[in-house]
Amino acid sequence: MTADTELTSVHLVTLGCARNDVDSAELAGRLAAGGFHLVDDPDAADAVMVNTCGFIEQAKKDSIDQIIEAADHKETGRAKAVVAVGCMAERYGRELADNLDEADAVLGFDDYTDIAGRLQSILAGEKHQSHVPQDRRKLLPISPVDRQAASARTTIPGHGVVESDLVGAPASGPPVLRRRIGNGPMSPLKLASGCDRRCSFCAIPSFRGAYVSRTPDDIVAEAEWMAGDGVREVFLVSENSSSYGKDLGDIRLLESLLPRLSQIDGLDWIRVSYLQPAEMRPGLIEAMVDTPKVVPYFDLSFQHAAPGVLRRMRRFGDPDQFLDLIGRVRAAAPNAGIRSNVIVGFPGETEDDVQTLADFLTAARLDAVGVFGYSDEEGTEAVGLDGHVDPDEVQARGDHLRDLAEALVEQRAEDRIGERVEVLVETIEDGEVIGRAAHQGPEVDGSTTLVGRTAEIGDLVGATVTESAGVDLFARIDEAVLGVEQRS
């Protein structure tokens, strides 16, 4: 019997955003350190752990469906337990455990530090008492600068720093317990967790907690470890990256962190996600455009454009301000990628407001747009607002805006024909070399298929765009593939 088969095996499923991917990497590291063997086949696992998403209704439904599907492996495979973790598990706790028989246990964030011990006891037949959810914003001081000391006594997923001699831990600096899931050339890296904003439609701060930044040394050490493990692109994630450092006493800390990351041998690209338009200072735009290896990619959370709707959302801005921001970005980097998400059908939204949003999207010429229809999220201020839009009308407005957004991003992609791009190769499928150009974020912003020469996964190549299909591009390689030895 091999060492692997002597270990208890676990299959880890991750739903939701890149921030959840980081949390799963920490869970995987903690499970491995606690004696578990991670397996790709759920039928070969003693336990199936589902890292759930609890953001919107569809995400919660997907999480429940995944838990139900995981329970089938107790019939078809060797699994003895299905365990729910993640945002939905934290948000609902005991309520979810009482109403979802397919889950043998529902674990909250406070269970993460001893996740291996929790899973061992569940597999031994012990009944886990699920937590009663609390507002995690109340676990830390109101003042951001007072949070760092208190955060050491609070479990914050993705921030776990563990003394360990595990292979793969950074050779120097703060040791970080992680286990990469997959071996692709891109990996998310968490800047911070939580959020201090009070958007009236969003429940995330209540279960993710107040905003807490990881220290620059932690982030640099983890990025160095990733580069040593073959990562070519780090994707900096948080609920609000433009606030990074405010609890460390320096709201401009991201501007000084990016150059440090840029000096890491082996990394080609550094990508920043989720920026608040109201917090986009000139120095941050300059740092994102001028720092070597930082790709000109701006993930700007507009959510709407009509001033009245934005105020009811407890957000700021108007079309002129947003277009001015986009103009400043494109003046500094004409080919920058700019993406956003918007919500339609928010309580009080009028047909004129929908037209304002449509006009803004038309003028903005974004590379990618996510359009979401509003739905009530329990515990949020928006539930109690007057002027709720009929669900059928929300659907109709969403369909209209989605059709418009699809046409606009297709046109934006078509405008890139003839443009020279750099592409990070991510997959080779049936001989097709597929990657992403610098303006394309992971998973949601389209892909670029390369023709003309062969390349390997992880290569960074120069190419010229020859055609488009929706948001996807096709490009001909026009220079030699850059090998790993050349990148370093």
Side-chain angles (χ1 to χ4, degrees), residues 38 51 77 95 100 160 306 323 325 332 334 384 413 426 451 454 463 468 484:
L38 272 73
N51 189 354
E95 178 186 352
L100 190 61
L323 291 173
L325 172 58
E426 293 191 298
V451 297
T454 59
S468 64
V484 173

Side-chain angles (χ1 to χ4, degrees), residues 228-374:
D229 197 42
V231 172
R232 306 270 69 86
E233 174 187 359
V234 290
F235 186 35
L236 303 179
V237 299
S238 72
E239 275 76 21
N240 179 7
S241 297
S242 44
S243 280
Y244 175 70
K246 71 175 187 177
D247 54 314
L248 296 171
D250 185 359
I251 190 60
R252 294 174 175 80
L253 197 57
L254 186 55
E255 287 95 308
S256 59
L257 172 65
L258 293 176
R260 290 186 61 184
L261 293 173
S262 179
Q263 295 171 12
I264 296 174
D265 289 340
L267 286 184
D268 292 311
W269 282 357
I270 301 159
R271 187 180 303 273
V272 183
S273 73
Y274 211 82
L275 301 161
Q276 287 289 340
E279 298 178 5
M280 286 304 296
R281 48 204 177 265
L284 181 53
I285 295 174
E286 181 179 349
M288 291 179 63
V289 169
D290 293 341
T291 304
K293 300 184 181 180
V294 178
V295 295
Y297 174 82
F298 292 79
D299 178 11
L300 298 167
S301 174
F302 291 122
Q303 301 298 353
H304 211 283
V309 176
L310 287 166
R311 284 194 294 271
R312 286 169 70 86
M313 288 179 168
R314 292 196 178 275
R315 297 178 68 85
F316 307 95
D318 57 44
D320 290 341
Q321 292 176 22
F322 292 163
L323 291 173
D324 176 71
L325 172 58
I326 292 169
R328 285 186 281 129
V329 168
R330 289 189 173 138
N335 295 328
I338 306 177
R339 77 162 336 270
S340 191
N341 294 320
V342 297
I343 297 172
V344 295
F346 190 79
E349 182 189 67
T350 66
E351 291 184 3
D352 286 345
D353 294 328
V354 176
Q355 188 59 50
T356 297
L357 177 55
D359 291 343
F360 164 70
L361 292 176
T362 301
R365 298 175 59 249
L366 303 177
D367 291 274
V369 182
V371 178
F372 297 88
Y374 171 81

Side-chain angles (χ1 to χ4, degrees), residues 11 17 33 54 59 80 92 107 127 166 223 242 244 263 274 291 300 302 327 364 372 382 402 453 481 486:
H11 175 69
C17 64
K80 303 179 184 67
Y92 295 103
L107 306 183
K127 179 69 174 177
L166 285 178
S242 44
Y244 175 70
Q263 295 171 12
Y274 211 82
T291 304
L300 298 167
F302 291 122
F372 297 88
R402 275 184 284 273
R453 298 187 188 183
V481 174
Q486 291 172 284

Side-chain angles (χ1 to χ4, degrees), residues 371-402:
V371 178
F372 297 88
Y374 171 81
S375 63
D376 281 337
E377 281 296 316
E378 61 265 43
T380 64
E381 180 186 353
V383 171
L385 292 177
D386 59 7
H388 270 61
V389 180
D390 181 83
D392 289 340
E393 178 63 19
V394 173
Q395 181 66 45
R397 293 178 185 182
D399 290 343
H400 168 64
L401 265 297
R402 275 184 284 273

Side-chain angles (χ1 to χ4, degrees), residues 170 176 178 188-189 214 217-227:
V176 181
R178 293 284 190 276
L189 195 167
R214 296 179 65 201
D217 286 346
D218 281 2
I219 293 168
V220 170
E222 187 168 353
E224 290 173 340
W225 166 69
M226 288 178 172

Side-chain angles (χ1 to χ4, degrees), residues 128-201:
H128 177 77
Q129 185 64 43
S130 296
H131 65 286
V132 176
Q134 59 180 319
D135 188 338
R136 294 188 73 85
R137 290 171 293 192
K138 298 179 180 178
L139 299 179
L140 296 171
I142 294 176
S143 172
V145 295
D146 293 333
R147 288 181 192 156
Q148 285 294 315
S151 67
R153 302 185 297 273
T154 303
T155 301
I156 303 175
H159 289 226
V161 178
V162 180
E163 296 294 338
S164 171
D165 294 325
L166 285 178
V167 174
S172 62
V176 181
L177 187 59
R178 293 284 190 276
R179 174 66 62 91
R180 283 197 70 204
I181 299 175
N183 57 2
M186 184 282 299
S187 184
L189 195 167
K190 187 171 283 191
L191 284 175
S193 287
C195 187
D196 288 342
R197 302 186 76 89
R198 294 296 181 264
C199 301
S200 61
F201 56 83

